[in-house]
Amino acid sequence: MYLDDQGKLKIAVCILTLSCFKGELNALLRSTENGEHYCYSIQDNTWNKEEVETLTMKEKMVLQLAGQGYTNKNIAEELSLNINTVKFHKKNIYQKLNSSNGIEAIITATHRGLF
């Protein structure tokens, strides 16, 4: 992806998928070269670099197991954690990814290249 000095898109090669983010007219590009994320601003017609929250290794493990259908109890057993710790990690994941449930969190994490 190449932007001009004003942040306008000059050229991009990308794969388009349905947006997993809430609201209208969402567009997010992720550079495969450096992992940078750019979010489209409809107000000023520009692509702006966006800082993306990272997940801790434990949060990634919890999210991956949840995506495989594990219950909180199963995740706790698999990772030798207390069930309340699993719930704490899920709460942090949802907050970081601005998600309201596990499916949305998994899709968002995948789109943002966090796995």
Side-chain angles (χ1 to χ4, degrees):
M1 174 172 84
Y2 296 99
L3 303 177
D4 65 17
D5 294 336
Q6 289 80 39
K8 298 198 186 248
L9 186 65
K10 289 178 82 171
I11 188 170
V13 177
C14 59
I15 298 171
L16 297 177
T17 61
L18 294 175
S19 175
C20 61
F21 305 108
K22 296 177 183 169
E24 296 179 2
L25 301 172
N26 290 306
L28 177 72
L29 293 176
R30 179 172 50 98
S31 170
T32 55
E33 285 185 23
N34 56 22
E36 291 179 340
H37 290 76
Y38 294 87
C39 188
Y40 181 70
S41 169
I42 195 166
Q43 288 82 18
D44 50 0
N45 191 31
T46 59
W47 290 90
N48 302 304
K49 187 174 177 183
E50 179 183 77
E51 294 301 319
V52 175
E53 288 272 3
T54 58
L55 300 177
T56 66
M57 185 57 68
K58 195 66 77 173
E59 289 168 343
K60 288 179 184 180
M61 293 168 71
V62 167
L63 190 57
Q64 287 173 338
L65 291 172
Q68 293 173 15
Y70 283 60
T71 64
N72 286 349
K73 182 181 177 189
N74 297 140
I75 294 170
E77 290 170 359
E78 183 74 22
L79 300 178
S80 300
L81 300 172
N82 181 293
I83 194 164
N84 290 325
T85 304
V86 172
K87 291 176 184 178
F88 174 78
H89 284 308
K90 282 188 166 183
K91 179 182 170 194
N92 286 342
I93 292 165
Y94 297 167
Q95 184 176 7
K96 286 180 177 182
L97 300 179
N98 193 25
S99 301
S100 57
N101 60 60
I103 302 287
E104 190 176 12
I106 291 165
I107 292 169
T108 301
T110 303
H111 278 277
R112 292 185 176 180
L114 299 178
F115 284 119

